[in-house]
Amino acid sequence: MVLNAEDRRLLQASISKLDRRFEELGGDALCRLFIVYPQTKTYFPHFNMGAGSKDVLHQGEKVAKALGSALNHLDDIRGALSHLSDLHAYNLRVDPVNFRLLAKCFHVVLAIHLRAEYNACTCLAWDKFFEMVGETMCEKYR
Ligand code: HEG
């Protein structure tokens, strides 16, 4: 997976057009993950899963912050996420399919916020980005 110059431009344009900071979208994405794919909740038995749960919001913010750092290091996503890739593979043992499920939820949240800006090219750029992040997060499983 390679991000070309146009993909990079579209990702940066999305970030600057978001009316909320990117980190604030994480809670919404994670909340959707738990509703649409309830099996993902098994990784968080210690979380309060009630509506508006602070656990979910804080976790979503952490995830989005990490994604934000990957967005700031598009040439070195692996470096930006390396400690998290270890954590998810060796300690948390998150099944790799779950990264794609979370990416789908981020797509929905981005579409809600970006509306017309979230056209096919922008959607593709984000999809490539999430695929690259997912690859990085899963490579330690091999
Ligand atoms: Mg993970 C913790 C990032 C997908 C399950 N995740 C974390 C943390 C970050 C993070 C930054 C906090 C680490 C720390 O406190 O040191 N997660 C992250 C990213 C992505 C991702 C960037 C994908 C893009 N995580 C993910 C998925 C699952 C999962 C798909 C499972 C469905 N993460 C998970 C769990 C924890 C973290 C169980 C520990 C939560 C806790 O106990 O507080």
Side-chain angles (χ1 to χ4, degrees):
M1 197 65 61
V2 183
L3 291 168
N4 62 32
E6 180 64 359
D7 294 325
R8 288 159 191 256
R9 193 187 66 74
L10 290 169
L11 289 173
Q12 294 312 330
S14 292
I15 295 294
S16 51
K17 273 175 203 141
L18 285 171
D19 52 342
R20 295 151 79 197
R21 289 182 312 126
F22 183 70
E23 286 95 86
E24 291 167 32
L25 308 185
D28 191 3
L30 205 61
C31 194
R32 286 169 185 278
L33 180 78
F34 295 147
I35 291 169
V36 182
Y37 307 103
Q39 69 274 24
T40 56
K41 291 193 282 189
T42 55
Y43 292 98
F44 302 89
H46 50 307
F47 272 28
N48 165 13
M49 290 289 173
S53 154
K54 289 237 160 58
D55 290 340
V56 176
L57 286 182
H58 286 153
Q59 173 65 17
E61 208 170 288
K62 283 188 203 172
V63 171
K65 257 195 190 129
L67 290 174
S69 132
L71 282 163
N72 286 330
H73 299 90
L74 289 176
D75 291 315
D76 187 23
I77 290 181
R78 182 174 286 133
L81 297 180
S82 93
H83 65 295
L84 287 176
S85 147
D86 282 344
L87 179 76
H88 287 74
Y90 302 130
N91 298 75
L92 301 170
R93 297 170 191 273
V94 174
D95 188 296
V97 297
N98 293 296
F99 295 101
R100 284 221 171 102
L101 301 182
L102 180 60
K104 287 188 197 215
C105 297
F106 266 102
H107 275 297
V108 173
V109 176
L110 285 164
I112 289 169
H113 285 275
L114 294 168
R115 301 199 164 240
E117 311 285 351
Y118 199 70
N119 58 24
C121 294
T122 298
C123 177
L124 182 63
W126 279 101
D127 206 42
K128 284 189 188 179
F129 169 72
F130 286 123
E131 273 300 306
M132 290 175 73
V133 168
E135 273 170 24
T136 303
M137 297 290 280
C138 295
E139 64 190 3
K140 305 273 168 65
Y141 291 84
R142 280 184 227 126

